[in-house]
Amino acid sequence: MTTNVLLIGSGGREHALAWKIARSPVLGTLYAAPGNPGIATNATIAALDITDHAAVAAFCADKRIDLVVVGPEAPLVAGIADALRAEGIAVFGPSAEAAQLEGSKGFTKDLCRRMGIPTADYARFSDAEAARDHVRREGAPIVVKADGLAAGKGVTVAETVEQALAAVDDCFAGAPDGTEVVIEAFMEGEEASLFCLADGERAVFFGTAQDHKRAFDGDVGPNTGGMGAYSPATVMTGELIDRAMREIIEPTLAGMRAAGTPFQGVLYAGLILMTTGPKLIEYNARFGDPECQVLMLRLKSDLLPILLQAAKGDLASCRPEWHDDPALCVVVATSGYPGSYVKGSEIVSLPEDDDRAIVFHAGTRRDGARLLADGGRVLGVTASGATVSEAAVKAYAATAEIDWPQGFWRTDIGRRAIDREDG
Ligand code: GLY
């Protein structure tokens, strides 16, 4: 008995998921929508408007889809999982209500307060003047977060009161009624990401990673969706992982169940490691991008049965297995990203995927035989090795072979882990 899958999404994360699912011995046919040229090498692209939930449900009935896997947050927050489940279709991904863990920072902070989950002190404001007063009272450093989805860019860590006041003004400028900001105390420590798969009742640990949010080497420049990542995050010891699961993940799932919005899908916790232990910075309700690329390279187990078990509330016996080798991903972006950039430049050639590295497509499209850049983050060159340092050497060697003059990348992905390896 095989499993037909529809994968929703078109980024590097979804290419990595497609690459892994395509290797499953229990896969029937893998479809993807909207997909991209990289995903098209692993899946049949379905010409579907993913915002038309009725059309997606009809496609699933027609193609006898056994599981829909939703990659990005926007369709989740828009309720695609609810609409498909209402038609009896198994979906890996949370309901719109549960996706508020990512979609609303205020929702998550309130849950943390109710459940005693360690996180920064905070206050929510829908009034700009009250928010400004709070900033003046608390002083800097202080963190200002726009409520709602912001593709990883709605957070300002303000080092001065002036910066924080400007961030508050930015959040409210031209914003519709009901707009909120969350203002948080600044937390000091190293950041790491922890991933779990949840089936509504329970969570299964699904790896750690660290990403590089700033655009340029040395962690300078504007925030991006992520310029590279590696896994595992060596700073996350077994003890820290156990504490994060016990003190953060499990109470979160319990709180979501108690609120009548059980969480099923990927729970991606952004953590800060303080001297007193791990604290939650924020949740995402999906795999990280490019963190997914490194997790998929490291995952030894067949992903597809695990996603099905999660979708069916049946993760009790799930014990994912991992390769020992760490993995690292270098994101290649269009010059100008995350500011303004020009789409449509030609990617003249890419290295062949081989044992050394895999090039996951994020923002590409085909124009006849030509491959064009079609976004800010365009490619994710991903490799594994006996050490993070070896994985980096392999990923950077493949990156250097890309013939795309408009592309740029950071040259220091994995720096913290490599420094640790070097002692
Ligand atoms: N790489 C960060 C994110 O996926 O949100």
Side-chain angles (χ1 to χ4, degrees):
M1 175 94 166
T2 57
T3 303
N4 294 331
V5 179
L6 171 62
L7 172 65
I8 303 286
S10 62
R13 164 185 46 221
E14 289 77 29
H15 186 184
L17 290 170
W19 174 85
K20 185 67 184 169
I21 292 170
R23 276 153 183 73
S24 171
V26 296
L27 178 67
T29 304
L30 174 61
Y31 297 92
N36 70 31
I39 295 171
T41 63
N42 300 119
T44 301
I45 302 299
L48 270 177
D49 172 1
I50 61 165
T51 64
D52 182 346
H53 297 164
V56 177
F59 177 89
C60 292
D62 184 40
K63 302 293 184 192
R64 298 179 183 280
I65 297 295
D66 303 294
L67 178 69
V68 177
V69 178
V70 185
E73 61 277 23
L76 293 167
V77 170
I80 194 168
D82 309 73
L84 298 180
R85 276 192 203 109
E87 298 297 326
I89 300 161
V91 184
F92 178 80
S95 66
E97 286 276 316
Q100 282 191 87
L101 274 183
E102 172 161 5
S104 167
K105 299 190 167 62
F107 173 92
T108 300
K109 297 298 285 189
D110 289 352
L111 176 92
C112 288
R113 188 170 277 168
R114 276 203 312 281
M115 301 304 293
I117 293 167
T119 188
D121 286 340
Y122 73 102
R124 300 174 67 168
F125 298 94
S126 52
D127 175 70
E129 198 43 50
R132 285 191 210 99
D133 283 346
H134 181 80
V135 165
R136 289 189 199 98
R137 234 180 0 259
E138 296 295 317
I142 195 162
V143 181
V144 179
K145 296 183 172 178
D147 207 37
L149 293 181
K153 287 173 253 168
V155 177
T156 303
V157 180
E159 280 160 27
T160 64
V161 168
E162 289 67 35
Q163 281 171 4
L165 293 175
V168 168
D169 290 345
D170 273 358
C171 291
F172 284 108
D177 284 353
T179 296
E180 272 202 14
V181 296
V182 176
I183 301 185
E184 294 185 7
F186 174 74
M187 297 190 287
E188 184 104 53
E190 188 165 342
E191 291 184 23
S193 303
L194 178 141
F195 295 85
C196 295
L197 301 187
D199 67 2
E201 281 284 319
R202 59 190 77 74
V204 172
F205 170 67
F206 209 66
T208 58
Q210 277 183 307
D211 77 348
H212 297 255
K213 291 201 172 65
R214 301 295 186 124
F216 308 125
D217 283 3
D219 291 326
V220 299
N223 266 336
T224 69
M227 292 299 291
Y230 57 94
S231 172
T234 40
V235 67
M236 287 291 292
T237 58
E239 190 200 332
L240 284 172
I241 292 169
D242 287 347
R243 278 191 69 177
M245 293 298 292
R246 214 174 41 245
E247 296 171 15
I248 298 175
I249 302 293
E250 284 163 15
T252 298
L253 289 187
M256 294 297 280
R257 269 198 317 274
T261 55
F263 186 93
Q264 183 264 93
V266 181
L267 197 50
Y268 156 8
L271 302 177
I272 193 148
L273 308 176
M274 304 185 65
T275 47
T276 50
K279 288 199 179 195
L280 180 72
I281 304 170
E282 64 178 15
Y283 273 128
N284 294 306
R286 52 165 175 91
F287 281 111
D289 187 343
E291 292 90 330
C292 186
Q293 288 82 317
V294 286
L295 290 176
M296 290 305 111
L297 232 64
R298 286 193 52 230
L299 182 63
K300 195 193 275 184
S301 301
D302 183 359
L303 177 67
L304 183 48
I306 298 177
L307 299 180
L308 259 176
Q309 285 170 319
K312 296 189 169 168
D314 189 21
L315 279 176
S317 60
C318 178
R319 304 277 179 278
E321 288 185 47
W322 301 90
H323 295 292
D324 290 335
D325 285 357
L328 179 141
C329 174
V330 177
V331 168
V332 185
T334 306
S335 295
Y337 172 80
S340 60
Y341 56 85
V342 179
K343 288 187 186 179
S345 55
E346 182 173 0
I347 300 165
V348 183
S349 70
L350 293 174
E352 288 292 321
D353 289 347
D354 55 20
D355 288 349
R356 181 190 54 175
I358 297 168
V359 180
F360 291 118
H361 292 227
T364 65
R365 73 179 165 89
R366 287 250 173 236
D367 177 21
R370 297 191 321 148
L371 183 67
L372 305 183
D374 196 35
R377 294 187 298 163
V378 173
L379 302 164
V381 186
T382 311
S384 56
T387 57
V388 177
S389 175
E390 191 179 305
V393 168
K394 288 159 91 178
Y396 278 115
T399 304
E401 289 172 20
I402 296 172
D403 185 355
W404 176 37
Q406 289 79 6
F408 83 97
W409 58 88
R410 279 182 60 158
T411 64
D412 62 350
I413 302 302
R415 180 184 52 82
R416 281 177 195 270
I418 292 167
D419 285 351
R420 282 194 183 97
E421 284 173 357
D422 290 347

